[in-house]
Amino acid sequence: MDPWYNILMSETIFLKIISGEIPCHKVYEDESVLAFLDIGPLSPGHTLIIPKEPAATLGELSDESSAAIGRVLPRICRAVKAVSGASDYNVLQNNGSLAHQAVFHVHFHVIPCFEGGEGLQMKWNSGTLDPARGADIAERLREELR
Ligand code: 5GP
């Protein structure tokens, strides 16, 4: 059975945008990637970049679709920056509801920031990295990636 079958059965709003069933303000399209304006922008120019492959989270995305997004993401960032006039911007990618993902189809946000607060507001609760704990986590990650 097609591995995409289960995902296709729980069709998201983004698949409907890809198929043209729901309109969007399209910014870029190739055979693997679509970019369009976010319907609820945090600032003018807020753009979403999605793979056409219907993976819910980044870890589930194929290497091919990841590479296709990686190829165009910097170019789209430059265009958003040029057209919005913003000097700075965030690239945000949420995975899972605890991480504020609302649409379960992989997407990258490009969000211009402006003086005065328009853009992504973040609370960055940084801790400190304990050396022993850090060594353990890094070792386990290396093992997992082998
Ligand atoms: P998430 O929280 O999942 O990372 O972000 C989902 C984003 O999709 C939100 O910023 C939301 O405004 C956007 N969005 C949801 N539905 C639609 C839609 O139908 N059209 C467009 N253009 N954006 C949408």
Side-chain angles (χ1 to χ4, degrees):
M1 188 184 291
D2 185 332
W4 290 1
Y5 178 81
N6 287 334
I7 301 169
L8 283 166
M9 288 299 97
S10 57
E11 188 168 324
T12 65
I13 197 104
F14 288 175
L15 278 182
K16 292 182 177 161
I17 289 176
I18 291 167
S19 71
E21 192 182 329
I22 289 179
C24 70
H25 290 287
K26 191 191 292 184
V27 165
Y28 173 87
E29 183 168 21
D30 65 30
E31 61 183 9
S32 310
V33 178
L34 179 68
F36 50 94
L37 296 183
D38 193 298
I39 204 169
L42 296 185
S43 60
H46 182 166
T47 298
L48 299 174
I49 297 97
I50 68 174
K52 291 187 177 174
E53 178 187 335
T57 60
L58 189 58
E60 296 163 79
L61 192 63
S62 69
D63 288 355
E64 292 72 25
S65 291
S66 306
I69 288 185
R71 260 195 305 276
V72 294
L73 192 51
R75 187 144 50 103
I76 293 171
C77 288
R78 288 193 292 274
V80 169
K81 192 169 177 267
V83 169
S84 69
S87 58
D88 298 343
Y89 60 91
N90 293 97
V91 175
L92 176 70
Q93 205 280 310
N94 298 327
N95 296 278
S97 46
L98 282 180
H100 300 284
Q101 184 177 13
V103 179
F104 286 83
H105 181 121
V106 173
H107 51 282
F108 290 76
H109 298 256
V110 178
I111 309 167
C113 314
F114 296 94
E115 293 283 353
E118 255 191 319
L120 179 67
Q121 303 295 316
M122 275 191 289
K123 196 157 180 241
W124 195 270
N125 293 325
S126 57
T128 49
L129 182 61
D130 172 74
R133 187 137 191 257
D136 175 55
I137 293 170
E139 171 54 30
R140 286 193 284 132
L141 285 170
R142 285 193 298 271
E143 184 64 35
E144 187 69 30
L145 287 163
R146 233 168 249 145

